[in-house]
Amino acid sequence: MPHPVVGFSTASLGIDMEVDISAYLSCNPRDVILHVKSSRLLLHVAKPFISFVPIAPSQLPDEWAEGTYWVSLNLFGIIPFGKQAIVISYPSSAPFTLRDNGHSALIHKWDHVITVEPSGSGTLYRDRIIINAGILTPFIWLFAQLFYRHRQRRWRQLVERGFSYDNP
């Protein structure tokens, strides 16, 4: 006689964890906003931790429009890490806000909010991410801590180079 299979969803564990990291960028907020809206920036600041391969649509837009973009993720450019939905919206213009309310089969909630606002003679750039990956949440949160610190380091380097994407 077969045994009943009990369904289990890690999403039901309700474990949300937050990453909140800010950086001062010594440039005009308008320049930061222009680059935040660019998919090129995402590919640049994520390198080499994560590479994104577009699935649907088959190419990322030059400028993010509101909508859903499915991508394959590769850790360190070589380790497949599944598909992720990048779900873009622009909930506020003051301060400028871009939201990626992403998700995947593994990561049920990847709610990433970027804010950009003037600060002195430069810009305050903030990444705030709420993550839920069920029982894996603490591990994904730890990765996100490292990843977003890396992204902001890449941001600062990009600003120092006058937004030249040519250097690695």
Side-chain angles (χ1 to χ4, degrees):
M1 177 169 214
H3 297 289
V5 176
V6 177
F8 178 76
S9 167
T10 57
S12 66
L13 294 177
I15 303 168
D16 283 359
M17 293 182 79
E18 181 176 347
V19 175
D20 192 339
I21 303 171
S22 298
Y24 176 81
L25 302 173
S26 56
C27 62
N28 188 304
R30 284 187 308 275
D31 293 334
V32 174
I33 291 168
L34 179 71
H35 289 272
V36 165
K37 289 180 172 183
S38 162
S39 63
R40 183 178 187 194
L41 177 80
L42 171 64
L43 301 176
H44 180 81
V45 296
K47 195 188 299 182
F49 270 64
I50 298 176
S51 61
F52 301 85
V53 179
I55 299 171
S58 61
Q59 289 186 320
L60 293 178
D62 290 336
E63 182 175 317
W64 293 113
E66 292 192 341
T68 300
Y69 305 85
W70 282 96
V71 294
S72 289
L73 302 175
N74 292 306
L75 299 178
F76 309 107
I78 56 172
I79 303 167
F81 198 68
K83 293 190 312 186
Q84 174 85 11
I86 298 174
V87 184
I88 300 293
S89 65
Y90 293 97
S92 173
S93 60
F96 171 83
T97 305
L98 181 150
R99 180 182 187 199
D100 167 17
N101 194 15
H103 57 86
S104 69
L106 176 66
I107 302 170
H108 312 291
K109 180 190 293 185
W110 186 272
D111 192 359
H112 177 205
V113 174
I114 296 171
T115 56
V116 175
E117 54 190 314
S119 178
S121 61
T123 302
L124 181 63
Y125 172 90
R126 180 181 180 199
D127 287 306
R128 181 175 176 261
I129 310 91
I130 299 174
I131 300 163
N132 185 325
I135 60 175
L136 297 176
T137 299
F139 303 104
I140 302 297
W141 173 86
L142 181 59
F143 176 82
Q145 288 282 347
L146 298 171
F147 176 61
Y148 281 93
R149 281 172 170 68
H150 166 77
R151 278 175 51 118
Q152 289 192 7
R153 180 178 57 79
R154 299 272 291 168
W155 248 114
R156 287 189 298 275
Q157 291 171 344
L158 188 63
V159 169
E160 288 169 8
R161 290 192 312 267
F163 293 101
S164 172
Y165 287 85
D166 296 332
N167 297 327

